[in-house]
Amino acid sequence: MTATQTSAPIAADPPAPAIAATGLRKSYGDKLVLDGIDLNIPEGTVFALLGPNGAGKTTTVEILSTLIDADAGEAWVAGRHLTRAADAVRSLIGVTGQFSAVDNLLTAEENLLLMADLHHLDRSEGRRRANDLLRRFDLSEVAGRTTVTFSGGMRRKLDLAMTLIGDPRIIFLDEPTTGLDPRSRRTMWEIIRDLVADDGVTIFLTTQYLEEADQLADRIAVLDHGRLIAEGTADELKQRIPGGHIRVRFADARNLDTAAGIFGIATREEDSLTLQIPSDGSIPNLRAVLDTLEATAVRAESLTVHTPDLDDVFLTLTGQPRPAGTVASPKENA
Ligand SMILES: Nc1ncnc2c1ncn2[C@@H]1O[C@H](COP(=O)(O)OP(=O)(O)O)[C@@H](O)[C@H]1O
Ligand SMILES: [Mg+2]
């Protein structure tokens, strides 16, 4: 009962990941859906699995949340082995899927209380938690309404609230904002951010929206044809691909001319008096450009740095123009 491992001040092991997986594979018949997925997701972070329709996102969530078995590979969720300790995993996670668990014949409050019963909370504790969640998600006023009257955004919020009744440490959100209007989407984003900031939970979310991954995730993995073809922070992914540049605007055509002669590889735009100089967006690169301008006494008016966005990243990585479902069009979702 003296010093414990966890209080060791130096050389502490990194915390166990919330989710770790190696070589997850899954086929349906002769269709290979997941072709060897490795994951390592630290506790208290948001991980986004980004991919077009049919990429295997839901299949991954179903495996990691013990709903279906992988054909091969191993995984640990909340430090528990996914198959050898499946019950323990289930008790520590929450899952909200593309298809809502909300019962339309019940009121919002009844849905939450039903969930509290399923988690064996006693009546008063269940009520307390249900009311807290209704307040937190701005649903108190509609608590007594049957959910058949709810908008898509309200339903998603209730669905997430129902997941939170069990106080999960790891939450899987399968396409949490697909089909929502922009305003409901923003509300959902705020809720997700608050969950991580206030409760320290780990979030594994899937999305077809590049912007959503960029907005929410600490790390993003791009899933394409059953493989993770890239992984990193949004910034790391953006840096991996060409297309970044510095745009310099000049006072007049003469200065533009001179600069174009100096920066041979740059693209010039006569109308706007600008030069686009390829750049990785790094400080040394920016400094080199500024130093060159200064040394040659070219008069530049203004300068902007353009880093590629995730759309560029996906197109570069997959080499395909606009993969089906990756754009913000719900048409492919039918
Ligand atoms: N139960 C199933 N039986 C047969 N094929 C399935 C089943 N579930 C998913 N698939 C197929 O696996 C592929 C990946 O599906 P899914 O994981 O749902 O992709 P995503 O969630 O990224 O849209 C799709 O081609 C889909 O048709
Ligand atoms: Mg899916």
Side-chain angles (χ1 to χ4, degrees), residues 155-175:
R155 189 174 298 271
R156 291 291 170 95
K157 286 200 289 187
L158 179 60
D159 213 13
L160 182 53
M162 286 163 66
T163 302
L164 294 179
I165 282 271
D167 210 11
R169 299 308 303 154
I170 299 173
I171 301 171
F172 293 91
L173 302 173
D174 194 10
E175 299 201 24

Side-chain angles (χ1 to χ4, degrees), residues 198-249:
D198 302 345
D199 303 9
V201 299
T202 306
I203 292 187
F204 183 111
L205 72 88
T206 73
T207 184
Q208 301 185 35
Y209 303 116
L210 305 156
E211 190 198 359
E212 181 156 283
D214 197 2
Q215 284 280 331
L216 294 177
D218 297 297
R219 296 186 72 77
I220 299 166
V222 182
L223 182 63
D224 187 51
H225 291 96
R227 286 173 167 273
L228 298 183
I229 55 169
E231 206 201 320
T233 63
D235 284 342
E236 281 167 0
L237 291 183
K238 287 173 189 173
Q239 273 172 19
R240 277 187 51 179
I241 69 141
H245 60 263
I246 297 171
R247 250 173 104 85
V248 188
R249 192 162 59 79

Side-chain angles (χ1 to χ4, degrees), residues 28 31 33 52-59 98 175:
Y28 283 110
K31 178 164 175 61
V33 178
N53 231 359
K57 301 182 296 297
T58 297
T59 303
Q98 269 166 300
E175 299 201 24

Side-chain angles (χ1 to χ4, degrees), residues 228-306:
L228 298 183
I229 55 169
E231 206 201 320
T233 63
D235 284 342
E236 281 167 0
L237 291 183
K238 287 173 189 173
Q239 273 172 19
R240 277 187 51 179
I241 69 141
H245 60 263
I246 297 171
R247 250 173 104 85
V248 188
R249 192 162 59 79
F250 295 92
D252 50 44
R254 196 176 51 81
N255 277 290
L256 173 62
D257 250 4
T258 314
I262 297 164
F263 297 99
I265 42 168
T267 317
R268 61 192 281 176
E269 264 174 42
E270 304 300 334
D271 290 353
S272 55
L273 294 173
T274 58
L275 205 57
Q276 286 190 21
I277 305 162
S279 164
D280 60 3
S282 68
I283 303 260
N285 182 271
L286 188 56
R287 186 173 290 132
V289 170
L290 289 173
D291 286 350
T292 305
L293 289 171
E294 172 123 21
T296 51
V298 180
R299 270 192 55 217
E301 292 278 284
S302 65
L303 176 152
T304 52
V305 179
H306 172 91

Side-chain angles (χ1 to χ4, degrees), residues 76-92:
W76 289 261
V77 174
R80 313 307 200 275
H81 192 270
L82 190 63
T83 51
R84 292 199 291 268
D87 285 342
V89 170
R90 270 178 223 122
S91 72
L92 292 163

Side-chain angles (χ1 to χ4, degrees), residues 28-74:
Y28 283 110
D30 56 9
K31 178 164 175 61
L32 180 59
V33 178
L34 297 180
D35 188 14
I37 300 288
D38 299 335
L39 297 167
N40 193 312
I41 302 171
E43 236 177 78
T45 64
V46 179
F47 177 86
L49 187 62
L50 173 68
N53 231 359
K57 301 182 296 297
T58 297
T59 303
T60 307
V61 168
E62 285 173 343
I63 290 172
L64 292 174
S65 58
T66 78
L67 290 173
I68 61 171
D69 287 331
D71 299 336
E74 269 195 303

